Amino acid sequence: MTKFEMSGERNLTMLTDLYQLTMANGYFECGMNMRRAAFDLFYRGGGGYPYAVAAGLEQAVEYISKLHFSADDISYLASLGIFGEKFLAALKDFRFTGDIKAVPEGTVVFPGEPIVSVRAPLWEAQLVETALLTLINHQTLIATTAARLSACTDSAILEFGLRRAQGPDAGVYGARAAYIGGCRSTSNVLAGQMFGIAVKGTHAHSWVMAFPSELEAFRAYAAAYPDGCLLLVDTYDTLGSGVPNAIKVFDELKAAGHKPIGIRLDSGDLAYLSREARKMLDAAGHSDCKIYASNDIDEKVLLSLGMQHAAIDVYGIGTKLITSYGNASLGGVYKLCAIEENGVMVPRCKVSDTHEKTTNPGLKKVLRIYKDGMAAADLICLEDEEFDTSEPLTIFHPEQIYKRKTFRKYELRPLLTDIFREGELVYDLPSLEEIGAAADRSLAEFFPEYKRVVNTQYYKVDLSEKLWMLKTELLSAEHS
């Protein structure tokens, strides 16, 4: 039994935009419904993230595997009075019958690269667009935000944004995505239960305020959790009472044979307070106690705290992570790239005055070029292209074609893998722990300049010469 089968019934078939259904019905009306079509799901750059960490595939697999229209679904659609009988009849026994390739979760991807590739009868491929986008877009966005935050500090990051998330699903699946991006613990108990993520947390200010004194509150908490004592020290006076009272309690715990965890700062000048608290803890013989910090932390704050030599071991990040505060949307899109005509798949290309909105045509694959074990460039090429790695490989910028790079000793690895063939799942879903490890490996393959959040270095993502020529020919034909 796969993980998604154990997660209970969650049928998202009706999680779609109306126009997917009206187009599907229209394809039936004009006899195009069974023509094969190919769509690519990818994200655009244009001021968004220069790289992303792919996530959400497991939930996409669950969605595709459970696709079916219930009698109530069909009754509701019929009540709208806009769908034909042929279409409604087809919904009764509907199951997805197409092929899907995807980039495994945790893989670093770049704008324009297919994250998911769908090939199916036209109406089926059209139907799944909206759900795939919302599943992949959201988790990839949060995983990427987590990875960027992690790139700003050597300290660990705890995800605890549930109370600020845009609803339960965003909180639960955001915690999953944050794990993939590098936050290996969460405050979200449901996410911990569902996905096996380590759950962490301490008390709030209300705990301290509920007792006659701060010291009594700390002692009561230590009595309840002698081997898990992490004390919030900024309710009244961080350095004047909070840290000294924590030290008293830690002395008592150690005398009784227990090991306290540390303190948490949630307000004020985190750099100064953490440095002073560290001195006080060390002087009292508690150098093994860690300092946790929270308080609307984002990438800029992390970088600033690092420059100020803050003595913080673990950051708790909520709002700015779970909402991807600095970048509201990944910008993922789902575009037709080929359609069957007389038994042959014919490339299609969307044309736009904006370069990044002009799509890449045809059935494609993505190859990552490695030099000395590190990722050096990506090549989007036609699916049937083969490359001899014993021969030099020259790539060029798809717009500024004079920018060229030749590799002589290199390795090529494909990014897309088969997920469904003719509607049957052929992919073994990895555990979340395995996905997190894969994300760590993928991120480690890129030099720091490609991952930094300020002045990020451009990573080469080029088109093969054959794909570039095909795109150029199609664009020239459109403008002739």
Side-chain angles (χ1 to χ4, degrees):
M1 181 177 288
T2 62
K3 291 188 292 297
F4 66 82
E5 288 173 330
M6 292 188 290
S7 66
E9 285 300 320
R10 183 178 166 87
N11 178 21
L12 300 180
T13 302
M14 294 287 278
L15 185 70
T16 188
D17 292 307
L18 181 63
Y19 81 155
Q20 312 294 6
L21 294 167
T22 57
M23 282 189 286
N25 178 69
Y27 294 139
F28 271 86
E29 294 298 320
C30 59
M32 294 175 58
N33 54 295
M34 294 308 294
R35 286 171 62 179
R36 299 284 294 181
F39 287 79
D40 289 332
L41 187 159
F42 57 94
Y43 85 100
R44 294 174 176 146
Y49 286 149
Y51 73 90
V53 178
L57 178 60
E58 181 175 311
Q59 284 63 50
V61 167
E62 176 182 6
Y63 160 71
I64 293 293
S65 297
K66 293 184 177 180
L67 267 176
H68 71 278
F69 289 88
S70 69
D72 287 344
D73 295 337
I74 297 171
S75 177
Y76 169 73
L77 293 175
S79 75
L80 299 179
I82 58 176
F83 299 110
E85 289 301 321
K86 288 187 292 186
F87 176 64
L88 292 172
L91 299 184
K92 293 179 181 178
D93 298 314
F94 171 72
R95 293 292 186 276
F96 182 78
T97 65
D99 303 333
I100 294 180
K101 295 177 183 251
V103 170
E105 290 189 271
T107 304
V108 173
V109 293
F110 295 89
E113 297 181 340
I115 302 173
V116 178
S117 175
V118 177
R119 299 170 194 182
L122 180 56
W123 78 286
E124 295 184 25
Q126 192 72 69
L127 179 67
V128 301
E129 172 181 358
T130 299
L132 288 180
L133 281 171
T134 193
L135 293 168
I136 299 297
N137 266 335
H138 174 250
Q139 287 203 52
T140 300
L141 176 70
I142 303 303
T144 307
T145 302
R148 287 169 60 86
L149 288 164
S150 297
C152 295
T153 179
D154 292 329
S155 301
I157 296 177
L158 157 68
E159 182 282 314
F160 72 128
L162 179 58
R163 65 185 63 191
R164 302 289 175 80
Q166 286 100 339
D169 270 11
V172 170
Y173 292 102
R176 179 185 186 274
Y179 179 98
I180 295 172
C183 302
R184 299 296 153 76
S185 55
T186 180
S187 67
N188 187 327
V189 178
L190 181 56
Q193 180 186 34
M194 289 176 63
F195 307 121
I197 304 172
V199 290
K200 303 286 185 180
T202 181
H203 61 81
H205 296 104
S206 56
W207 174 272
V208 178
M209 296 165 68
F211 288 81
S213 71
E214 184 177 58
L215 182 57
E216 288 173 273
F218 286 177
R219 280 178 170 151
Y221 195 80
Y225 306 103
D227 295 308
C229 188
L230 176 63
L231 299 174
L232 180 59
V233 297
D234 72 328
T235 304
Y236 301 121
D237 183 345
T238 301
L239 300 180
S241 68
V243 177
N245 282 330
I247 289 173
K248 289 178 184 177
V249 173
F250 292 166
D251 287 341
E252 294 165 1
L253 280 172
K254 285 190 174 180
H258 301 289
K259 183 178 179 181
I261 294 176
I263 64 170
R264 178 163 75 94
L265 306 170
D266 190 50
S267 60
D269 186 335
L270 296 180
Y272 169 73
L273 292 175
S274 66
R275 292 196 304 266
E276 293 302 307
R278 183 75 272 161
K279 292 176 186 177
M280 295 168 70
L281 288 166
D282 290 351
H286 298 297
S287 57
D288 56 340
C289 287
K290 293 184 176 181
I291 298 177
Y292 289 63
S294 50
N295 188 23
D296 269 353
I297 294 169
D298 61 11
E299 296 166 358
K300 292 180 180 179
V301 172
L302 285 176
L303 291 173
S304 176
L305 289 171
M307 293 175 64
Q308 296 175 74
H309 305 290
I312 296 169
D313 301 291
V314 181
Y315 289 98
I317 304 183
T319 304
K320 302 298 174 69
L321 169 56
I322 204 66
T323 67
S324 187
Y325 193 85
N327 189 17
S329 175
L330 182 71
V333 294
Y334 184 87
K335 297 299 180 184
L336 180 74
C337 59
I339 190 166
E340 181 184 13
E341 292 184 4
N342 299 318
V344 177
M345 295 298 286
V346 178
R348 288 285 193 269
C349 180
K350 178 187 179 296
V351 182
S352 173
D353 290 336
T354 304
H355 166 72
E356 66 183 24
K357 287 194 172 185
T358 300
T359 61
N360 295 318
L363 306 180
K364 297 177 292 296
K365 62 184 175 184
V366 184
L367 299 176
R368 181 150 292 164
I369 304 171
Y370 289 85
K371 178 72 173 176
D372 298 324
M374 298 295 287
D378 285 4
L379 190 64
I380 308 175
C381 49
L382 296 174
E383 188 175 63
D384 59 0
E385 287 191 74
E386 297 294 336
F387 299 89
D388 184 353
T389 55
S390 67
E391 296 292 330
L393 174 63
T394 298
I395 62 174
F396 58 89
H397 192 284
E399 291 181 88
Q400 300 163 319
I401 59 175
Y402 60 88
K403 293 183 177 179
R404 293 175 175 261
K405 171 78 173 178
T406 298
F407 295 93
R408 287 182 170 79
K409 291 183 178 180
Y410 61 95
E411 180 186 353
L412 296 177
R413 301 180 199 169
L415 297 191
L416 293 162
T417 190
D418 289 329
I419 309 297
F420 287 90
R421 291 196 201 107
E422 297 182 354
E424 295 296 323
L425 180 62
V426 296
Y427 179 69
D428 290 329
L429 290 167
S431 68
L432 187 58
E433 184 178 5
E434 290 171 330
I435 295 169
D440 290 344
R441 290 193 299 272
S442 186
L443 286 162
E445 292 170 350
F446 291 84
F447 290 108
E449 54 264 33
Y450 298 126
K451 297 178 288 187
R452 64 192 179 205
V453 299
V454 178
N455 295 325
T456 310
Q457 180 67 29
Y458 170 76
Y459 178 82
K460 298 178 180 63
V461 179
D462 295 339
L463 306 183
S464 70
E465 185 173 358
K466 286 186 177 180
L467 177 55
W468 183 84
M469 290 179 64
L470 172 63
K471 184 175 183 177
T472 301
E473 289 170 5
L474 290 176
L475 291 175
S476 297
E478 288 290 336
H479 288 90
S480 61

